[in-house]
Amino acid sequence: MLALQRATHHTLHALSGALAELNLTAAEINALGNLAERGALSVSQLSAETGTKASTLTGVLDRLERRGYLTRELDAADRRSFRLVLTEQGATAGEQVRAAISDLENRALAGLTAAQIAGYHAVVTALEEAS
């Protein structure tokens, strides 16, 4: 597990460098990347996608909203909750995040065999299910 922790820190450092002009925290990168990939989500859905407590996400979402990256819209299906919707600026930043993640993943996995990549995905799935 320590190797995974180290890899996570190296990954976050690489992404922060690749996205330096956006000046995003790791949590903001995580939220924007997930919203860009999945579209509008509720706070609870984004919490599940990012592995972040909803209470922790509040500050992240407040910062992204202040920077003009997202809006909170009343959910028509459940008027007690909100949908998190990327603005045009947020969608652009989200696509930059997705591209940086994709580039890093492609470089990291380029030298691996299909069996090694399948093993990697199996470990990631097992860790997500265990937590």
Side-chain angles (χ1 to χ4, degrees):
M1 292 305 286
L2 287 176
L4 179 61
Q5 186 69 18
R6 283 190 300 275
T8 299
H9 284 284
H10 287 293
T11 299
L12 294 174
H13 180 73
L15 290 174
S16 291
L19 298 165
E21 73 278 359
L22 294 177
N23 195 31
L24 298 169
T25 66
E28 291 165 347
I29 290 170
N30 193 4
L32 275 176
N34 276 281
L35 287 168
E37 182 175 299
R38 306 266 308 175
L41 298 172
S42 68
V43 174
S44 62
Q45 289 169 321
L46 183 61
S47 174
E49 291 295 319
T50 61
T52 307
K53 291 182 194 175
S55 59
T56 302
L57 270 179
T58 300
V60 172
L61 298 174
D62 288 346
R63 289 191 303 273
L64 291 173
E65 188 172 33
R66 277 194 305 273
R67 293 180 67 184
Y69 288 143
L70 68 82
T71 60
R72 292 175 171 113
E73 297 179 0
L74 198 57
D75 187 340
D78 180 2
R79 297 184 52 81
R80 296 169 295 157
S81 65
F82 292 90
R83 308 280 297 156
L84 305 168
V85 180
L86 291 179
T87 63
E88 186 175 325
Q89 182 181 358
T92 299
E95 286 308 314
Q96 288 178 267
V97 167
R98 287 186 63 200
I101 291 169
S102 179
D103 180 59
L104 180 59
E105 183 176 32
N106 289 337
R107 285 186 286 123
L109 302 181
L112 301 180
T113 66
Q116 288 172 315
I117 293 171
Y120 157 78
H121 286 292
V123 169
V124 168
T125 299
L127 289 169
E128 287 176 342
E129 290 172 357
S131 63

